[in-house]
């Protein structure tokens, strides 16, 4: 039985939960009480030395990076597939997983963490504005890649969308207005 240590507000844990649902995989969900500091406890640090979520356990095997977990779930439970069978399609999905983390996830965190958890006087407005600029640039790059298509890779829902979904859900909170093809893709994912 798979065990997923998560927190319901974690975007990275949410993507793993989405993959579990898409694949119809049962998993024991263990909520890590992050506000109480449970992620810093010696017991949790024994599983995940970084003290973050998600962490996946599978019969003594432990993974604690969301894209690695997604790739593991795909490798161990290939049906239904969330990546194309061909090498180029797989590489494109891997590229988009990485680009999501590099070009959207960190920037989203810079905006939504303060807006969700800090009083306005503690916001770093310059950092938030820079993050929004980077998000807009990334979405402008995605726009022609999505023009006339429903999905990023091989015109099918894939791990690329699984990676993006928890972040694009926050476009309204971040006051991000995606270009038309990205907006349509976002609506399909959500």
């Amino acid at each position: 039985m798979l065990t997923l240590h998560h927190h319901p507000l974690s975007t990275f844990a949410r993507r793993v939960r989405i993959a579990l649902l898409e694949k119809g995989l049962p998993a024991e969900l263990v909520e890590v009480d992050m506000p109480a500091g449970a992620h810093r406890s010696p017991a949790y640090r024994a599983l995940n030395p970084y003290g973050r979520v998600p962490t996946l356990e599978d019969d003594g095997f432990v993974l604690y990076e969301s894209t690695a977990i997604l790739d593991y779930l795909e490798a161990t439970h290939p049906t239904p597939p969330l990546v194309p069978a061909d090498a180029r399609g797989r590489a494109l999905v891997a590229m988009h997983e990485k680009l999501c983390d590099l070009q959207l996830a960190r920037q989203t965190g810079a905006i939504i963490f303060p807006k969700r958890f800090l009083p306005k006087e503690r916001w770093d407005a310059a950092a938030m504005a820079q993050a929004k600029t980077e998000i807009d640039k990334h979405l402008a790059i995605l726009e022609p890649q999505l023009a006339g298509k429903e999905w990023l890779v091989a015109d099918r829902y894939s791990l690329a969308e699984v990676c993006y979904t928890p972040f694009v859900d926050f476009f309204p909170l971040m006051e991000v207005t995606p270009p038309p093809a990205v907006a349509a893709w976002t609506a399909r994912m959500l």
Side-chain angles (χ1 to χ4, degrees):
M1 169 70 108
L2 297 169
T3 301
L4 179 66
H5 301 265
H6 75 104
H7 188 275
L9 299 180
S10 165
T11 48
F12 294 103
R14 185 174 170 210
R15 61 173 42 163
V16 174
R17 293 184 67 195
I18 290 168
L20 290 169
L21 289 168
E22 289 291 333
K23 290 191 162 290
L25 296 174
E28 177 187 359
L29 299 177
V30 177
E31 186 174 326
V32 179
D33 189 354
M34 296 181 85
H39 59 298
R40 292 188 293 269
S41 73
Y44 189 71
R45 289 277 178 133
L47 283 176
N48 183 334
Y50 293 97
R52 296 189 293 244
V53 292
T55 301
L56 182 79
E57 292 183 87
D58 185 12
D59 194 28
F61 179 67
V62 178
L63 281 174
Y64 42 79
E65 188 57 37
S66 66
T67 53
I69 294 169
L70 295 176
D71 293 342
Y72 175 75
L73 293 174
E74 184 66 25
T76 57
H77 301 86
T79 305
L82 291 175
V83 296
D86 66 294
R88 288 181 178 187
R90 286 178 149 345
L92 285 171
V93 168
M95 177 184 78
H96 284 293
E97 286 177 309
K98 187 74 167 172
L99 287 170
C100 177
D101 285 352
L102 292 172
Q103 305 299 139
L104 185 66
R106 179 186 56 78
Q107 295 81 351
T108 299
I111 299 169
I112 68 170
F113 184 84
K115 284 191 169 193
R116 292 170 82 193
F117 304 114
L118 298 177
K120 195 166 188 170
E121 59 272 7
R122 291 191 49 207
W123 295 3
D124 182 342
M128 293 167 75
Q130 177 61 37
K132 186 177 181 309
T133 298
E134 291 175 26
I135 290 169
D136 289 339
K137 180 180 176 184
H138 178 60
L139 299 182
I141 292 169
L142 284 179
E143 179 69 7
Q145 295 174 39
L146 283 162
K149 295 170 50 180
E150 295 214 6
W151 309 110
L152 269 172
V153 179
D155 208 26
R156 60 187 277 192
Y157 182 85
S158 74
L159 287 180
E161 280 77 26
V162 170
C163 282
Y164 273 96
T165 299
F167 300 98
V168 302
D169 194 23
F170 286 103
F171 283 171
L173 177 65
M174 296 188 296
E175 301 173 44
V176 167
T177 303
V182 174
W185 172 65
T186 298
R188 281 189 293 280
M189 284 190 286
L190 296 176

